């Protein structure tokens, strides 16, 4: 039995790639984090620290909760950003304080979504898939402030 061993380098590399993908695929969360890291374009932004996360709260025994809503709060000296993620509807709503009209970008594994807050500082994003997210708020004016939240997994 003779085998054809006249493969090109490109054919050998493709055969090795297919073998590795079928035996040891890259986990989806690793791919999500890699995509999210590539969307980080605001390195000069002030980082808003996570101040509250409802996922870390203990639910008392006997208390029922939907488990579908998640509330997060981020703080800086200049601005606070409160968000609520509803996994059942994949809707993310939020508000910046003090209230102001601000550009808001939602960075996630599928790319970036943008909106502008209303005069009360409220904003919303639809069809937000679970996974890593970060929010960037840019104030309006001649010298805008840029505030970026930590990456958080919804």
């Amino acid at each position: 039995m003779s085998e054809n061993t006249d493969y090109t380098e490109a054919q050998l590399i493709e055969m090795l790639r297919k073998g590795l993908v079928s035996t040891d695929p890259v986990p989806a969360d690793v791919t999500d984090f890699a995509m999210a890291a590539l969307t980080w374009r605001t390195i000069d932004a002030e980082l808003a620290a996570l101040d509250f996360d409802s996922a870390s709260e203990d639910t008392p025994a006997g208390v029922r909760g939907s488990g579908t809503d998640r509330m997060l709060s981020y703080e800086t000296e200049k601005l606070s950003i409160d968000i609520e993620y509803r996994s059942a509807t994949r809707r993310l709503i939020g508000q910046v304080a003090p209230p102001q009209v601000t550009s808001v970008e939602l960075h996630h594994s599928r790319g970036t979504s943008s909106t502008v807050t209303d005069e009360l500082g409220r904003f919303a994003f639809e069809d937000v898939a679970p996974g890593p997210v970060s929010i960037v708020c840019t104030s309006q004016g001649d010298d805008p402030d840029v505030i970026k939240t930590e990456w958080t997994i919804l």
Side-chain angles (χ1 to χ4, degrees), residues 133-153:
V133 297
S134 177
I135 295 175
V136 178
C137 295
T138 306
S139 64
Q140 298 184 350
D142 294 332
D143 187 22
D145 290 321
V146 180
I147 310 289
K148 179 178 178 32
T149 67
E150 304 176 12
W151 283 96
T152 305
I153 298 175

Side-chain angles (χ1 to χ4, degrees), residues 72 80-85 91-97 104 115 117-118 120-125 135:
L72 301 134
S80 68
I81 304 166
D82 296 317
I83 64 171
E84 181 177 338
Y85 178 66
R91 186 165 197 241
L92 186 143
I93 58 174
Q95 185 170 15
V96 297
V104 180
T115 191
T117 64
D118 64 12
L120 298 176
R122 299 176 297 195
F123 60 91
F125 293 99
I135 295 175

Side-chain angles (χ1 to χ4, degrees), residues 12-139:
L12 287 172
I13 290 173
E14 181 62 19
M15 288 170 35
L16 286 170
R17 186 193 64 73
K18 284 181 181 178
L20 286 173
V21 166
S22 67
T23 59
D24 189 21
V26 176
D29 60 340
V30 171
T31 304
D32 290 345
F33 279 119
M35 294 291 290
L38 292 175
T39 63
W40 190 46
R41 298 183 311 239
T42 54
I43 196 164
D44 294 333
E46 181 179 353
L47 185 62
L50 183 63
D51 188 51
F52 172 78
D53 183 351
S54 64
S56 64
E57 293 291 300
D58 292 329
T59 303
V63 175
R64 285 193 268 177
S66 65
T68 59
D69 293 350
R70 176 132 176 234
M71 297 173 69
L72 301 134
S73 183
Y74 301 90
E75 297 287 333
T76 69
E77 289 184 18
K78 297 179 182 178
L79 189 74
S80 68
I81 304 166
D82 296 317
I83 64 171
E84 181 177 338
Y85 178 66
R86 298 177 181 159
S87 60
T89 60
R90 295 171 54 137
R91 186 165 197 241
L92 186 143
I93 58 174
Q95 185 170 15
V96 297
Q100 57 189 280
V101 176
T102 302
S103 298
V104 180
E105 290 182 351
L106 176 67
H107 297 259
H108 49 89
S109 59
R110 295 189 304 182
T112 302
S113 304
S114 300
T115 191
V116 177
T117 64
D118 64 12
E119 64 278 352
L120 298 176
R122 299 176 297 195
F123 60 91
F125 293 99
E126 305 296 331
D127 195 28
V128 177
V133 297
S134 177
I135 295 175
V136 178
C137 295
T138 306
S139 64

